[in-house]
Structure formats: structure tokens, C-alpha cells
Amino acid sequence: GNININVRDAMTIAGIKNGFNSSIYTFVGVGAVGNAGDININTGSLSLAEGSQINAKTLGEGNAGNITVNARQNISLDGSGDVTLRDGSKGTLFTRIISSVDPEGVGNGGDIQLNTGDLSVTNKAAISSSTAGKGDAGNITINALDNIIFNTGSFATSNVASDAVGNGGDIRVTTGTITLTNGSVFSTNVLGEGNAGNIFVEARDSLKLEGKVDSRISRIDSSLLTGGVGKGGDIQITTGLLSVTNGAQIYALTSGQGDAGNITINA
């Protein structure tokens, strides 16, 4: 069945206890045959922090559920630092909204759709769809009325892993202003067998890419990587003002067996 959560004002998912991170998830288990339920959240604002997750995946034979969040005011994802894991060791749990086909899975990943006023993704937090099994990754759709900010190594990605057979999902982002800074990324890529998803960015006022952190460069890219068989995705950007500075990049490439995608910019 589905998970339906309705909160009039603010909703927070956070905290780690005995190595378990706070989470909301649906999944098809190993050996199971059937589809997972959807996750539907309606709220005034949503905050994820301290390694918390919203997660839909398939490890069996069936499709993962979709994730839909409607937050009238804002959605915030903030990454986590070192924590004590279940075995007592120190490790890192990152804040995520995830849809995935795991290596054992046969089926398609679910779509992720976020509808809000403002979206903030910081400190290596992520919105991610992927396939590492046999099936397509889900699409990521973000609609924000005003602003989208990705900062400090945060990312939205759709990936086809090295042993996977399936296509990557599209990333579609629509808002007023978008800022990707300090190594933040919009990316689709293929290491396995399939096509990378396309990236559509529509920022009516401005799109800004700037800088890097550690080895991560702020960028928008679609790549068919070494070992991949298929083709890279297209990148289409429509905005009032585009700024790409301090080492930031927009690129489409192939280093595998297949063509790279096209880049179209309307500013």
C-alpha cells in the first residue's frame, strides 16, 4: 500500500538512534514479486536533516514506488556529518531523497516529484534516482515557485550503474532562480547498458553555476562513461541570465560506446 502523510504546517525528518537514521521508505524485498507502494507527502514545509531519508526502491521483481512531495512554503535537505553506526564504528549518513533499482532488482525505479515554493539542498545532501539492476531509473521533477539552491557538494543525479541494464531518468527543473555553488551538480550518466536521462532546466530569471569544493566542480552534465553502452542525454537550458564562473562547467561527453548528447541554451 501507499504511505500518505498530510501535515498542515511543518514536517521534520531528522535524528539518528542506535545507528539507525530516521526515514520513510517503501520497497520490494529480495525474492518478492509485486510493486511497492508510493510515498505521498502534503505539508506546509518539509525539512530533512541528520542523515534522514525518503527512500523508494526495488530489490525483487517489481517496480519501486513513486515519491511525491507537495510543500507549500519550502523543502530543505541538509547533509550530515560523522555519526555512530549500528556496529559502533564512526561513519557518515547523508540526507537523501532516493529512488533506486538495486542490483538484485528487476523492475523500474519510481519517479520523484517535488513541488514547493523554495528548495534548499546543502552540505552534500542529494536527490537521486538510479538503476543498478534490470530496469529503468525514475525521473526527477522539481517545481519551485521562486528559488532553488544547491550548495556545498549537493546534487540531483540519475545514474545507470556499471552492471545495470536500463535507461536513466530525466531531470526536469523549473523555477525562478537556480544557484549551484561550491561543487553542486545536476547530472545524468551511464556506466552500464542504456541511455542517460535528459536534463531540462528552466529558470525564468537566472541560472548561476559557480566554483568547486575539494575535487567536485559545480556543473550540469550528461555523460556516457567508460564501459557504458548507449548514449548520453541532452541538456536543455532556458533562462533569463546564465552565469558560469570560477571553474564551473556545462558539458555532454562520451568515453564509452555511443554518442554524447546535445546542449541547447536559450538565454
Side-chain angles (χ1 to χ4, degrees):
N2 299 329
I3 297 175
N4 300 309
I5 299 174
N6 299 290
V7 178
R8 185 183 63 186
D9 297 320
M11 177 177 171
T12 299
I13 308 172
I16 299 168
K17 182 71 172 180
N18 297 327
F20 289 91
N21 55 323
S22 299
S23 60
I24 297 172
Y25 65 93
T26 65
F27 67 95
V28 181
V30 175
V33 179
N35 298 324
D38 298 335
I39 299 173
N40 302 303
I41 298 173
N42 297 284
T43 184
S45 64
L46 173 64
S47 174
L48 281 75
E50 299 174 349
S52 62
Q53 294 188 0
I54 299 174
N55 193 331
K57 63 183 177 180
T58 178
L59 301 91
E61 186 176 337
N63 299 327
N66 301 311
I67 299 171
T68 302
V69 179
N70 298 304
R72 296 183 305 277
Q73 299 171 8
N74 60 74
I75 298 173
S76 172
L77 285 73
D78 186 67
S80 176
D82 292 338
V83 297
T84 301
L85 301 177
R86 291 189 291 273
D87 61 3
S89 64
K90 294 293 184 180
T92 301
L93 292 173
F94 293 113
T95 303
R96 300 282 190 264
I97 297 177
I98 305 172
S99 170
S100 65
V101 181
D102 281 21
E104 306 91 341
V106 179
N108 295 324
D111 296 334
I112 298 172
Q113 180 162 337
L114 308 180
N115 304 308
T116 189
D118 296 304
L119 172 66
S120 174
V121 186
T122 59
N123 296 320
K124 299 182 180 180
I127 301 164
S128 172
S129 73
S130 64
T131 177
K134 292 180 172 60
D136 298 338
N139 300 313
I140 297 173
T141 302
I142 302 171
N143 298 305
L145 184 62
D146 296 316
N147 303 300
I148 293 175
I149 296 172
F150 280 69
N151 192 12
T152 319
S154 299
F155 54 92
T157 62
S158 180
N159 303 316
V160 179
S162 57
D163 294 327
V165 179
N167 296 321
D170 294 340
I171 297 176
R172 188 178 296 270
V173 182
T174 305
T175 189
T177 64
I178 299 176
T179 305
L180 303 179
T181 57
N182 297 318
S184 295
V185 173
F186 290 169
S187 177
T188 62
N189 62 69
V190 173
L191 279 163
E193 184 178 339
N195 300 327
N198 302 309
I199 300 175
F200 304 94
V201 176
E202 184 174 346
R204 63 180 181 273
D205 297 323
S206 65
L207 168 62
K208 177 182 179 181
L209 287 78
E210 182 178 24
K212 64 180 182 178
V213 63
D214 300 326
S215 60
R216 188 185 293 270
I217 299 168
S218 294
R219 68 186 192 273
I220 297 175
D221 77 274
S222 183
S223 304
L224 179 65
L225 299 172
T226 302
V229 179
K231 64 179 182 179
D234 295 336
I235 298 172
Q236 182 172 314
I237 296 170
T238 303
T239 186
L241 176 67
L242 174 64
S243 172
V244 185
T245 60
N246 296 326
Q249 298 178 351
I250 299 172
Y251 64 85
L253 71 82
T254 177
S255 56
Q257 297 179 46
D259 297 336
N262 303 306
I263 299 176
T264 304
I265 298 174
N266 298 298

